[in-house]
Amino acid sequence: MAYNAREVFTLRESRDFNEDTAEESAAELNGGIFLCLLNKNGTLGAAYYNFMDKTLNVYEEMVDLAPQFVITATLCREIAPKYVLTFGYITEEYVKMCVDCFSSETDTTTSNISRLPDNFFLVSMKEYTYEACKTIVSNINVASNTLDNGDHKQEVYFRSCINLNHRLSVQALGALYKYLEKHWSMFGVDPADQHFLHIHQVTLKNHVLLDNHTFKALQIFSQKSHDAGFKRGQDSSSREGLSVYRLFMSSCKSRMGQTELRNLLLSPINDRRELEKRLSFIKFVQQPVNLDFIASIHDNIKQFQNVVHVSAILGKILNARASNKDWKMLHKMIYHTIFINDISKGYRGKSELLAELDQAVTNNLLGLEESISNALDFNAGNKKGRPVIKFGLDENLDAKLLHQQDVSKHVTAAARFAANDLPDFIDECKVVYLPEMGHLMVIKRWEPDCDPEQLESLGYQFMFALGGVLHYKNPLCVELDKRLGDINAEIIDHENRILRRLSAFTLKYNKDIRQALKAVAIIDCLIAMAKVSQQNNYVKPELNDLRIQEIEECRHPLMEQILNSFEANDFKSGGLHSHMKIITGANGSGKSIFLKQILLAVYLAHVGCYIPAKKANIGLVDSMHCLIQTKESAVVRLSSFMMDVTQTSQVIHCASPSSLIIMDEFGRGTLEDDGLILLVSFLNHFLSKGELCPHILVSTHFQRISTMLPESQYLEYLKMNHTVENGTFCFLHKMAAGVSDSYAFDIASAILSPDRIGRAKQYFQWIQRNERGELPEETLKIQNQYVFDNLNVELISEDSNDNN
């Protein structure tokens, strides 16, 4: 392959090079992200610093309205910050919401905040005006910026990195940087280690909004505590349970691919062009003619499978702490990335992702790989335990190395000559070189309590003792110091100067390294998606902008992994089909699973993955909302019904005509009539929008709802079918049109005795006919207590099973 001219750094010694180095960063060990948020009049500015990557990231300004502040909640979920900084007072609505999103102790909005978390910080807006923050931002020292502060090109450089017209984001970035500068020790970072590799402009444009409840309900991620975690006194999750992420992660060949997979799953998008690009690559991977090529790509990706992120290595290079192993791993990653690009030459016309990889492998990256290869001797470095410069790179260094070889010969001869002048009670000696003290004569103790000064008459000046070895300076050692000098120290200093120049050259093009490796990481995780999709018979979804959802024989991607057989169902919404579907059926008939599998199918399409179905035409959505019944908690301080109402309120504020909403048995946490009326009111709100009604699926046991909602072409009633075989009630898990009865007595008959079921039915009929007065009051009391004590336990158990 022919390349254009590229820069290959000249690594010979230069007097103009700045030799300042930074100390070790504790943040590299701790990691984490520091997020700064600024919400003013419904507009949000945000920026964050990644301690591991050492990068500053600035968001475009976004509209984020009260009271839900959905964009802020999305940022906190996707970034998962370790520290948060915002503006205002503890009593303000936005601050309360930020604390609620940031705190791991609560799952829903609380009305009162007793105190701020230890890693949540508040500052005043007066301290960080736009002009002050703009000046701060313009003077940030970035490793990828080679211009001096005050240079007229400096502002041009920063305008190429971030949009300075986004005033709130600039304020957030300036406040973030200034706060870090003042409080480095608070984050476990040495003040001398204030380094930033690059500034990125990021955006949430085209992101599909999902709240935390939806992620949990769909089991996108499912971390579980390790079985032996209690032995270490840890409660934190350390392994992935049954989840969408785990479904694909095992097929990734590198940890960087797994990280990129997590990022894709955290950030579903509705950018049709980007999604089509991912889907086309998955199709490309699955074609039999490309199997050998894909296997070759995976073999190369495996070469750096243990690297979580290249920034960890770049951080060590920045701090002059990179070992020979670090340099070798960096070179290996760059080399194999270039090699993957080379073998992809004949396939670039078939895949846009491979064409983007070719663009990411720049001439700068090619020159950097050549420079590292020419400069470092990795084999010699393995023996010496530090980076070693190759012989032939620098003439002056080569001369010193040759001189060092002569030194070893002189030292050997000197040791033999000195041994002849020593007393007979000394068996052996040798000459060593210490950079701080020069050449020394080393002699073992001839007696346990010998006097080191005994050899002074022979011209041996005692220097120090180390263990059972005595170190002396004699005239021969002084002569060697004069003739040979500190050649070892000079060589190390010379090599370090070259290493610093190589480090600066590497950091200059760190953006090229990141972009190329990110492209490889995306390829790795998409190959994993392709393999899992092929193994489980997923299909490529067609995407449309017409708000039409059509899925044939949709399956649940997780449930089918643990069940021997899974009954698929169709789903059609929008266009010529109804927008709102109300699903009824007996407990355990599969209503909740149906809701989740539809939402999961649409979700997978929005991360660019094939979906578990026979055929799919997916309309791009703006947001997805999953209102699954939540469990009560003393920490949350809200009842399950209040949590349902809170989630419903969020949907009303955030849903658009292109949203997908699922609701599972809303209102069962309160009186039936009250819950039913609230549900009808919620559905009427969207049903009245007509063609602009979102896609809504509702499961409920309120059969009366069909008599309370108006007839509409946008409304459809569905039920889960069943059959009765030999008197046994059997679920078919198949969707059909209509409204289902409760069948509570039929389900209870599988556990309760016939006489109890009979008495329960009789009592139910009396209630229906209002004939309770026909029986004596004492009899009614006994039967009432007997039936409901037994029936209530079983129904609670069935509800739990239905949720599971």
Side-chain angles (χ1 to χ4, degrees):
M1 179 178 181
Y3 296 110
N4 297 326
R6 58 180 180 270
E7 180 181 2
V8 179
F9 194 75
T10 302
L11 296 171
R12 292 184 176 85
E13 188 174 6
S14 172
R15 295 180 181 178
D16 298 331
F17 180 68
N18 182 4
E19 299 184 4
D20 295 335
T21 60
E23 297 181 1
E24 177 181 358
S25 170
E28 274 185 34
L29 303 176
N30 297 330
I33 287 175
F34 185 19
L35 172 66
C36 181
L37 300 166
L38 172 56
N39 189 293
K40 186 177 181 181
N41 299 327
T43 302
L44 176 67
Y48 69 89
Y49 176 64
N50 191 320
F51 287 98
M52 178 63 74
D53 294 355
K54 295 188 178 296
T55 56
L56 289 166
N57 302 268
V58 190
Y59 281 92
E60 297 176 346
E61 287 184 356
M62 299 162 283
V63 176
D64 194 21
L65 301 175
Q68 308 304 328
F69 300 107
V70 177
I71 302 298
T72 297
T74 301
L75 281 179
C76 289
R77 187 194 70 245
E78 293 189 3
I79 298 174
K82 187 175 182 179
Y83 310 96
V84 170
L85 171 71
T86 190
F87 300 77
Y89 301 95
I90 193 172
T91 56
E92 293 182 359
E93 182 182 25
Y94 183 72
V95 174
K96 291 180 181 180
M97 191 272 174
C98 288
V99 173
D100 190 64
C101 288
F102 176 63
S103 175
S104 61
E105 297 181 352
T106 58
D107 293 324
T108 187
T109 306
T110 56
S111 57
N112 298 309
I113 301 176
S114 58
R115 66 180 183 85
L116 291 174
D118 294 336
N119 43 1
F120 190 98
F121 314 109
L122 282 179
V123 294
S124 173
M125 184 82 72
K126 296 179 181 179
E127 300 179 25
Y128 302 96
T129 63
Y130 169 73
E131 293 300 331
C133 290
K134 181 180 177 181
T135 302
I136 293 172
V137 170
S138 300
N139 288 282
I140 296 176
N141 186 18
V142 182
S144 57
N145 177 21
T146 58
L147 302 173
D148 296 329
N149 289 337
D151 194 310
H152 69 281
K153 297 180 180 179
Q154 180 84 350
E155 185 174 349
V156 176
Y157 169 80
F158 278 100
R159 286 189 178 275
S160 69
C161 296
I162 59 177
N163 189 342
L164 296 179
N165 293 325
H166 291 176
R167 300 170 67 92
L168 295 183
S169 293
V170 172
Q171 281 184 264
L173 177 60
L176 174 71
Y177 178 81
K178 195 67 176 178
Y179 200 87
L180 281 171
E181 189 177 44
K182 289 182 178 179
H183 305 91
W184 280 105
S185 59
M186 183 186 301
F187 306 103
V189 180
D190 193 287
D193 190 32
Q194 301 179 25
H195 299 298
F196 305 92
L197 293 180
H198 193 65
I199 296 180
H200 295 285
Q201 179 80 57
V202 292
T203 179
L204 284 181
K205 184 180 180 182
N206 297 325
H207 280 220
V208 178
L209 298 180
L210 284 84
D211 59 18
N212 291 331
H213 296 289
T214 303
F215 267 82
K216 291 179 181 179
L218 297 183
Q219 289 181 260
I220 306 301
F221 303 98
S222 179
Q223 287 189 330
K224 293 190 175 182
S225 299
H226 196 277
D227 295 337
F230 71 94
K231 296 179 180 178
R232 303 185 298 272
Q234 297 176 349
D235 295 328
S236 59
S237 300
S238 57
R239 61 187 177 94
E240 190 72 18
L242 180 64
S243 65
V244 175
Y245 174 62
R246 183 181 177 182
L247 185 64
F248 297 108
M249 67 173 290
S250 58
S251 297
C252 292
K253 296 300 180 182
S254 68
R255 295 182 67 182
M256 289 196 304
Q258 293 178 355
T259 301
E260 191 61 33
L261 172 64
R262 178 176 287 274
N263 292 336
L264 290 185
L265 294 178
L266 279 170
S267 308
I269 59 175
N270 53 21
D271 184 342
R272 185 172 179 179
R273 182 179 178 277
E274 177 65 24
L275 293 174
E276 292 283 8
K277 179 173 62 178
R278 298 176 188 176
L279 293 170
S280 297
F281 184 77
I282 292 177
K283 181 179 179 180
F284 169 81
V285 172
Q286 292 182 350
Q287 293 173 348
V289 69
N290 300 322
L291 292 180
D292 291 340
F293 169 65
I294 297 302
S296 179
I297 288 181
H298 259 174
D299 288 341
N300 282 272
I301 292 177
K302 280 191 222 177
Q303 300 302 315
F304 43 91
Q305 58 182 349
N306 293 325
V307 178
V308 179
H309 204 291
V310 68
S311 296
I313 296 177
L314 293 176
K316 292 182 180 180
I317 293 175
L318 181 63
N319 294 323
R321 293 183 55 250
S323 63
N324 181 72
K325 182 179 179 181
D326 295 324
W327 279 106
K328 185 176 181 180
M329 180 56 69
L330 177 64
H331 176 262
K332 181 185 290 188
M333 288 191 295
I334 297 174
Y335 172 81
H336 285 284
T337 299
I338 295 173
F339 186 80
I340 290 173
N341 185 55
D342 287 345
I343 64 177
S344 304
K345 181 178 180 180
Y347 299 90
R348 291 173 193 151
K350 302 177 182 179
S351 172
E352 190 176 349
L353 269 178
L354 295 178
E356 289 183 357
L357 173 63
D358 184 50
Q359 296 175 359
V361 179
T362 62
N363 290 327
N364 294 330
L365 189 67
L366 298 172
L368 178 60
E369 187 277 329
E370 187 174 345
S371 297
I372 296 176
S373 178
N374 293 337
L376 299 179
D377 187 342
F378 297 120
N379 292 330
N382 289 334
K383 297 177 181 178
K384 294 187 177 181
R386 61 177 178 83
V388 174
I389 305 301
K390 274 187 177 180
F391 188 85
L393 179 71
D394 186 283
E395 295 177 357
N396 294 330
L397 178 61
D398 293 344
K400 293 176 182 178
L401 290 172
L402 292 174
H403 188 44
Q404 183 188 42
Q405 294 179 3
D406 293 337
V407 168
S408 62
K409 297 178 182 179
H410 286 82
V411 169
T412 302
R416 291 173 183 165
F417 180 78
N420 295 330
D421 294 337
L422 290 173
D424 295 337
F425 56 80
I426 297 178
D427 298 329
E428 60 179 349
C429 70
K430 62 180 178 180
V431 178
V432 298
Y433 173 81
L434 299 179
E436 298 83 0
M437 305 186 70
H439 293 82
L440 296 173
M441 189 69 68
V442 177
I443 300 174
K444 291 183 178 181
R445 290 183 181 271
W446 52 91
E447 292 179 359
D449 298 327
C450 64
D451 182 9
E453 306 292 343
Q454 186 175 345
L455 302 180
E456 185 176 355
S457 59
L458 300 176
Y460 283 71
Q461 180 185 358
F462 175 70
M463 303 301 293
F464 63 91
L466 184 63
V469 179
L470 306 175
H471 293 73
Y472 294 90
K473 177 77 76 171
N474 65 355
L476 178 62
C477 293
V478 174
E479 182 65 21
L480 288 174
D481 291 342
K482 292 179 180 179
R483 292 178 54 190
L484 303 178
D486 295 333
I487 187 63
N488 291 323
E490 291 178 12
I491 291 175
I492 293 175
D493 289 343
H494 200 129
E495 288 184 332
N496 286 338
R497 287 194 293 270
I498 295 177
L499 278 174
R500 286 194 289 271
R501 291 183 58 77
L502 179 62
S503 299
F505 184 61
T506 302
L507 294 172
K508 179 181 178 181
Y509 297 119
N510 77 85
K511 184 178 179 181
D512 300 80
I513 300 172
R514 294 168 183 274
Q515 289 179 341
L517 292 178
K518 180 177 177 63
V520 173
I522 292 176
I523 289 174
D524 185 20
C525 72
L526 289 181
I527 291 176
M529 287 184 177
K531 289 187 173 182
V532 174
S533 298
Q534 195 167 36
Q535 292 168 1
N536 296 288
N537 297 319
Y538 294 180
V539 297
K540 178 184 177 183
E542 299 296 330
L543 305 179
N544 69 79
D545 300 310
L546 304 176
R547 297 193 296 115
I548 297 176
Q549 311 288 352
E550 297 176 333
I551 310 176
E552 295 183 13
E553 298 186 13
C554 181
R555 312 186 306 275
H556 194 293
L558 301 182
M559 293 301 296
E560 69 174 356
Q561 299 295 316
I562 59 178
L563 298 177
N564 294 329
S565 62
F566 189 89
E567 189 66 41
N569 278 288
D570 298 342
F571 171 70
K572 297 180 180 180
S573 180
L576 300 177
H577 313 288
S578 62
H579 292 237
M580 182 183 297
K581 294 171 174 58
I582 299 178
I583 306 167
T584 55
N587 288 331
S589 60
K591 301 187 300 298
S592 299
I593 295 299
F594 174 76
L595 298 182
K596 292 180 181 180
Q597 71 190 42
I598 297 303
L599 192 56
L600 271 173
V602 177
Y603 166 83
L604 288 176
H606 283 77
V607 296
C609 181
Y610 280 24
I611 66 176
K614 181 179 180 181
K615 185 179 180 181
N617 181 24
I618 303 296
L620 299 178
V621 301
D622 297 329
S623 60
M624 301 181 194
H625 307 274
C626 184
L627 281 68
I628 300 294
Q629 174 128 7
T630 52
K631 296 181 179 180
E632 297 183 22
S633 171
V635 176
V636 175
R637 295 180 292 176
L638 292 176
S639 67
S640 60
F641 175 69
M642 281 303 298
M643 287 188 280
D644 285 347
V645 172
T646 301
Q647 294 179 41
T648 305
S649 174
Q650 292 177 353
V651 172
I652 293 175
H653 281 90
C654 305
S656 72
S658 296
S659 296
L660 176 58
I661 305 167
I662 68 172
M663 298 181 68
D664 189 21
E665 297 191 27
F666 172 86
R668 71 176 177 183
T670 186
L671 291 176
E672 178 181 346
D673 290 342
D674 296 345
L676 175 60
I677 294 301
L678 288 172
L679 177 59
V680 169
S681 176
F682 173 82
L683 298 180
N684 263 326
H685 169 77
F686 289 110
L687 200 58
S688 63
K689 297 179 180 293
E691 183 64 30
L692 298 181
C693 177
H695 307 286
I696 302 178
L697 289 89
V698 180
S699 71
T700 182
H701 286 288
F702 299 146
Q703 283 81 16
R704 288 187 295 158
I705 196 172
S706 60
T707 64
M708 304 182 70
L709 286 172
E711 293 186 4
S712 172
Q713 61 177 330
Y714 305 108
L715 175 62
E716 182 181 4
Y717 294 96
L718 300 174
K719 64 180 181 180
M720 300 301 292
N721 266 344
H722 71 279
T723 186
V724 179
E725 296 182 0
N726 299 325
T728 302
F729 193 90
C730 298
F731 298 119
L732 299 179
H733 303 291
K734 199 68 178 177
M735 194 67 67
V739 179
S740 172
D741 291 331
S742 173
Y743 301 107
F745 294 118
D746 299 276
I747 296 174
S749 64
I751 302 175
L752 299 179
S753 61
D755 58 329
R756 293 180 181 178
I757 296 297
R759 284 194 294 270
K761 287 182 178 180
Q762 184 180 18
Y763 187 78
F764 179 73
Q765 292 171 1
W766 290 334
I767 294 177
Q768 292 292 94
R769 296 196 300 265
N770 197 22
E771 297 177 351
R772 296 184 60 174
E774 295 181 0
L775 290 178
E777 182 177 350
E778 187 63 26
T779 304
L780 284 173
K781 182 178 180 181
I782 294 174
Q783 288 192 353
N784 182 21
Q785 186 68 35
Y786 180 77
V787 170
F788 283 91
D789 281 352
N790 289 276
L791 186 59
N792 189 44
V793 174
E794 304 302 333
L795 292 180
I796 291 174
S797 176
E798 290 158 11
D799 287 343
S800 300
N801 292 334
D802 190 31
N803 286 335
N804 292 333

